[in-house]
Amino acid sequence: MMVVNTRRLLLSAGVILLFFSAGHASDCFNCHEAAGFSGKVVHQPVADGDCTICHSPHVSRHKGLLRQAEARLCYSCHEEVAAQVEKKTYLHQPVRQGQCSECHLPHAADGRGLLAKNGSALCYGCHSEAQNAYKFTHKPYQRGQCNVCHTAHASDDSRLLKKVGSQLCLDCHKTTARLKKTHLGRDLGVLDCLSCHNPHGGVERKFLREVSHQPFADRECESCHGQPSGTGLCLGCHEESLASFQVVHSHLGVGGTANACTVCHNPHVGDRPGLLPKNEGRICRSCHVDTFARRDNMLHQHANWNSCSDCHQGHGADNPAMLKNGQDVCAQCHERHKAFSHPMGEAALDPRNGKPMDCLTCHDANTGTMFKHFLRGSGERGLCVQCHQSY
Amino acid sequence: MIMNVKQITLGFGVLLAILSHSGLASAAAGSWSTKYRLPQEDSGVRLEQPVAVAVDHQNQRYYVVDAKKGQLVSFDKAGGFLAAFNAGGELQRPVAVAKTSSGSLWVIERSINKLLYINPKQQKIRKFAPKYPDGTEMFLSRLALDRQDRLFVLDRLKGAVLLLDDSLEISQVYAGGSTTHGFVDFKLQQGKLWALDALDHTLYRFDLSGTVTKKLKLSGLEFPTAFEIDNAGSFYLLDRHAGTVVVYGMNGMRSYDFLAKGKWSGQLWNATDLLFDWEGRLCVVDEGNGRVEVLTR
């Protein structure tokens, strides 16, 4: 008799606990306007009225009374995304920062995937540089369907492409005899289509990148092909370039046994003079993986950090890190700072090594840092006491 | 009594586990400290851009290449400054040096991409531009002499090490094949040649006939630029970006690391070269801090 009573008591207590702990949207909507939680697509917990799946109604250490940090909370249900992020090399920046809500609305939206905006409108919010007008436009780009080629979360390609190499293109552009003939019979499966074609659009029907190597434009393939393909082939015509490599830190020799020039330069077409792509950081990343990985994890980064040649001399320089103009590289853009900053040069020797101070003594414009203005330490104290120890 | 022995053994096991987990064990293994630095702080000598070092084992001297000043700077066995030498202005951007047993110097002069043979006693300089049999130029970046004074050079253009004969013709090529990214440094040790593929983080061992006899893939490196090998066969990898020297056993297993990125004494800022001297002290050429740390343990 006693056992039965105890059981009943426990059962009742459980029901009471469940009642009070379960989220009831109707309770929430007493204060939070319900209209703000409706749309063509509604997040399942919202549709189920289960606000407390994500929110803690009383207290939380996370913004919006979220039960966990944003990404962790999302991954607790969206395990397939978590698995993808775990496996891939390159993460979309909001993903890396755990900010799912940069792209997704948590309650309801008008588009699939609870995206804040539809199609390319969402992407251009950050990637405005990708919004261009072309005479001839690739259909997915024209339709604003970035996700035909790009994946939004993570990829093994730094451009977040869905597939690496030519396979992405060949999924739509079937290998025909004509396509193969155009590419001189080469195995299309091993070609890098994007090195010659701009996947967004171009000035001509095949979206070839705009600047052509003269022999390619003149269809004089044999002037390069059919000869020894080493670096000497390029220097044979571009002899004047040799001097730019005869410096202390030189990029001549980055190709191993292959041609050093074609590691960076496309021998056929490019986006700009020098037959380089617009996205030059992608080339640099292929060798300087560690620098880019470090930068990816920093809170404060130099603007335009992907335009490496703004600060670095591509062929080489006498200065460490192949910096342009040595210590004056920053003054190229930050001319005013030179006049009012901390003393620099021979007038201010770094007590740590006796070398003249420069901008890079305190700032790390290369990889960025966790501190404002990419200072190498806290500007409040930590950085300054490196030298001013009596402070 | 047996119980006590067991407890003690267990205690040691736990202690070792804690030490290895916390990194203290590796710190102990890598207890390298600065013996002195070149130049010494009170010497009044300043290196602008040291990029390489060579050692004269016979006379116990160091030769540091200062690329920016266009000088070779020599130091005695205690780190004292001896002399600075610019070969009558012929050195503009030297990047590497090696000293022959007869006292002459081989120098790679980058500004003209030539190999200089300097006889200091006779004050004579000869310039050479060694080429491949097909006439292709070389782009030399490092050099070394073996015990017979045979000259080995690293051609960055092909990423290969070359053994040159007395007339500077190629007598042997040490290349990693089509899959390598090219070598950035090499060392001669006990009749073998080791070379570093920096991008692939791999060390290649060649016999002197040019055959690859071993490959060691090294883990945990960011941007290795130079290496050394000690008498026990351990490898010391200089990680330029991390500011560390990472030590690997002869099987390629990571053992420990020492030094750190920074500008204080004992820290590295864009270091470029590693070399053991006649007493097994490790010379670390630190370009960014303008000094050579000579470390002992």
Side-chain angles (χ1 to χ4, degrees):
Chain A
M1 187 64 181
M2 184 64 179
V3 173
V4 173
N5 279 345
T6 309
R7 275 188 185 160
R8 277 184 186 161
L9 198 64
L10 283 172
L11 192 62
S12 307
V15 169
I16 290 165
L17 270 173
L18 270 174
F19 179 80
F20 282 106
S21 64
H24 285 275
S26 58
D27 295 341
C28 305
F29 293 148
N30 287 339
C31 298
H32 300 278
E33 186 61 50
F37 297 81
S38 61
K40 285 181 189 165
V41 182
V42 179
H43 198 195
Q44 196 59 47
V46 178
D48 295 344
D50 263 345
C51 304
T52 55
I53 283 187
C54 299
H55 300 279
S56 170
H58 299 129
V59 290
S60 168
R61 64 177 63 177
H62 303 289
K63 202 177 163 189
L65 293 175
L66 290 178
R67 288 193 177 276
Q68 298 181 69
E70 191 173 307
R72 188 172 292 187
L73 180 67
C74 302
Y75 294 154
S76 64
C77 290
H78 300 279
E79 290 170 356
E80 75 293 352
V81 180
Q84 188 192 17
V85 167
E86 183 68 29
K87 274 191 286 184
K88 301 292 183 182
T89 314
Y90 300 100
L91 307 182
H92 195 199
Q93 189 163 323
V95 175
R96 193 168 50 243
Q97 294 171 343
Q99 295 172 338
C100 309
S101 59
E102 281 284 309
C103 301
H104 301 278
L105 295 173
H107 301 126
D110 287 336
R112 282 178 61 194
L114 292 170
L115 291 172
K117 288 180 183 169
N118 287 326
S120 56
L122 177 68
C123 307
Y124 292 151
C126 294
H127 303 280
S128 56
E129 81 287 351
Q131 191 171 12
N132 295 308
Y134 298 98
K135 188 175 177 188
F136 296 93
T137 312
H138 195 205
K139 277 283 181 293
Y141 180 84
Q142 192 176 34
R143 293 175 187 146
Q145 296 171 329
C146 307
N147 63 349
V148 168
C149 301
H150 298 277
T151 175
H153 296 129
S155 168
D156 286 328
D157 183 284
S158 63
R159 297 160 293 189
L160 296 182
L161 293 175
K162 284 186 168 172
K163 290 182 181 174
V164 293
S166 58
Q167 200 50 53
L168 177 72
C169 309
L170 294 175
D171 277 356
C172 296
H173 303 276
K174 298 298 174 201
T175 307
T176 60
R178 192 174 161 205
L179 189 64
K180 202 160 181 181
K181 190 181 170 192
T182 306
H183 294 88
L184 308 175
R186 294 179 66 184
D187 178 4
L188 299 176
V190 299
L191 295 183
D192 177 11
C193 311
L194 302 182
S195 66
C196 292
H197 301 277
N198 181 339
H200 294 164
V203 292
E204 55 82 60
R205 199 172 294 278
K206 303 293 180 195
F207 315 144
L208 277 178
R209 296 187 186 272
E210 289 181 29
V211 180
S212 295
H213 195 200
Q214 203 55 50
F216 180 76
D218 296 343
R219 294 176 172 270
E220 290 175 348
C221 308
E222 69 282 0
S223 66
C224 298
H225 293 282
Q227 296 191 41
S229 61
T231 310
L233 172 66
C234 303
L235 292 175
C237 291
H238 302 279
E239 200 179 353
E240 76 290 351
S241 297
L242 190 59
S244 64
F245 290 105
Q246 290 177 349
V247 286
V248 177
H249 295 284
S250 177
H251 259 157
L252 195 60
V254 293
T257 52
N259 186 319
C261 307
T262 55
V263 171
C264 302
H265 302 278
N266 184 322
H268 300 122
V269 289
D271 289 324
R272 56 199 175 97
L275 298 172
L276 291 165
K278 194 174 170 186
N279 177 6
E280 67 180 16
R282 181 175 148 69
I283 297 174
C284 306
R285 188 191 281 264
S286 62
C287 292
H288 298 276
V289 180
D290 65 307
T291 301
F292 281 78
R294 206 179 274 237
R295 180 186 290 147
D296 284 346
N297 290 316
M298 294 302 173
L299 263 182
H300 299 275
Q301 299 156 338
H302 192 275
N304 304 325
W305 56 261
N306 207 38
S307 301
C308 309
S309 63
D310 286 353
C311 303
H312 300 275
Q313 200 72 258
H315 285 180
D318 287 331
N319 312 300
M322 299 184 185
L323 282 177
K324 284 180 176 174
N325 303 327
Q327 322 300 355
D328 283 336
V329 64
C330 306
Q332 290 178 153
C333 298
H334 305 279
E335 201 176 348
R336 274 186 337 115
H337 278 66
K338 220 181 163 185
F340 67 76
S341 72
H342 187 285
M344 290 193 288
E346 291 293 337
L349 298 181
D350 190 324
R352 297 170 296 179
N353 59 12
K355 303 276 282 182
M357 290 186 69
D358 54 45
C359 306
L360 300 176
T361 304
C362 298
H363 300 273
D364 186 346
N366 189 37
T367 62
T369 72
M370 302 306 275
F371 302 97
K372 271 190 203 170
H373 314 298
F374 30 93
L375 287 169
R376 295 187 186 273
S378 161
E380 305 291 320
R381 187 170 186 276
L383 175 68
C384 309
V385 295
Q386 284 276 314
C387 299
H388 302 279
Q389 294 194 321
S390 57
Y391 276 22
Chain B
M1 186 62 184
I2 292 169
M3 187 74 158
N4 281 345
V5 172
K6 271 187 183 168
Q7 279 172 347
I8 289 168
T9 312
L10 189 66
F12 271 117
V14 171
L15 182 64
L16 274 174
I18 292 169
L19 283 174
S20 64
H21 184 69
S22 65
L24 290 175
S26 64
S31 56
W32 289 84
S33 60
T34 301
K35 174 84 172 172
Y36 45 78
R37 62 189 56 84
L38 314 173
Q40 290 172 346
E41 278 174 22
D42 54 358
S43 66
V45 178
R46 189 159 119 182
L47 296 176
E48 289 289 342
Q49 192 179 18
V51 292
V53 65
V55 163
D56 178 348
H57 289 260
Q58 206 176 336
N59 298 307
Q60 301 189 342
R61 288 182 178 179
Y62 302 98
Y63 292 87
V64 180
V65 179
D66 188 335
K68 192 167 187 177
K69 278 191 177 171
Q71 288 183 339
L72 302 178
V73 188
S74 57
F75 297 89
D76 65 21
K77 61 182 177 183
F81 169 72
L82 289 174
F85 171 70
N86 69 0
E90 294 286 352
L91 300 183
Q92 297 293 318
R93 290 190 196 105
V95 292
V97 64
K99 194 174 184 204
T100 68
S101 54
S102 63
S104 296
L105 298 166
W106 284 106
V107 177
I108 296 173
E109 173 52 45
R110 179 56 55 79
S111 65
I112 50 174
N113 190 28
K114 285 195 172 159
L115 196 54
L116 308 189
Y117 184 73
I118 302 172
N119 186 328
K121 288 177 195 161
Q122 296 177 355
Q123 297 198 335
K124 279 188 178 171
I125 300 170
R126 295 168 70 193
K127 299 175 186 173
F128 302 96
K131 291 183 178 174
Y132 285 89
D134 66 359
T136 309
E137 287 198 29
M138 298 175 191
F139 190 71
L140 304 177
S141 71
R142 292 196 188 259
L143 50 78
L145 296 162
D146 70 2
R147 289 185 179 178
Q148 293 91 51
D149 270 353
R150 292 188 301 175
L151 180 61
F152 293 76
V153 294
L154 173 59
D155 171 29
R156 288 296 308 277
L157 208 49
K158 299 209 173 185
V161 181
L162 310 167
L163 170 60
L164 303 181
D165 64 17
D166 290 345
S167 51
L168 299 183
E169 303 285 335
I170 298 170
S171 62
Q172 192 56 258
V173 177
Y174 305 89
S178 59
T179 56
T180 62
H181 301 89
F183 299 134
V184 299
D185 193 16
F186 72 98
K187 287 289 185 298
L188 298 163
Q189 200 223 23
Q190 296 173 354
K192 308 286 180 202
L193 186 145
W194 289 86
L196 171 65
D197 179 341
L199 284 183
D200 203 32
H201 299 182
T202 300
L203 281 170
Y204 285 69
R205 186 182 71 186
F206 294 89
D207 62 24
L208 289 185
S209 69
T211 306
V212 177
T213 54
K214 194 173 189 178
K215 282 188 199 178
L216 289 177
K217 180 90 174 170
L218 306 173
S219 62
L221 289 165
E222 288 188 25
F223 199 77
T225 50
F227 74 103
E228 242 303 20
I229 312 168
D230 69 14
N231 288 333
S234 295
F235 301 97
Y236 294 69
L237 272 289
L238 177 63
D239 194 325
R240 182 174 168 95
H241 289 178
T244 56
V245 176
V246 188
V247 184
Y248 296 84
M250 55 202 305
N251 56 359
M253 288 290 286
R254 187 182 169 120
S255 182
Y256 62 94
D257 62 77
F258 57 99
L259 301 178
K261 188 161 188 169
K263 299 195 174 184
W264 290 109
S265 172
Q267 297 181 326
L268 303 178
W269 199 260
N270 287 327
T272 53
D273 198 13
L274 283 184
L275 191 70
F276 279 115
D277 73 5
W278 54 90
E279 280 187 11
R281 290 176 294 211
L282 185 63
C283 306
V284 188
V285 182
D286 187 347
E287 180 185 7
N289 284 324
R291 61 196 175 213
V292 178
E293 298 274 353
V294 182
L295 303 163
T296 187
R297 63 171 172 177

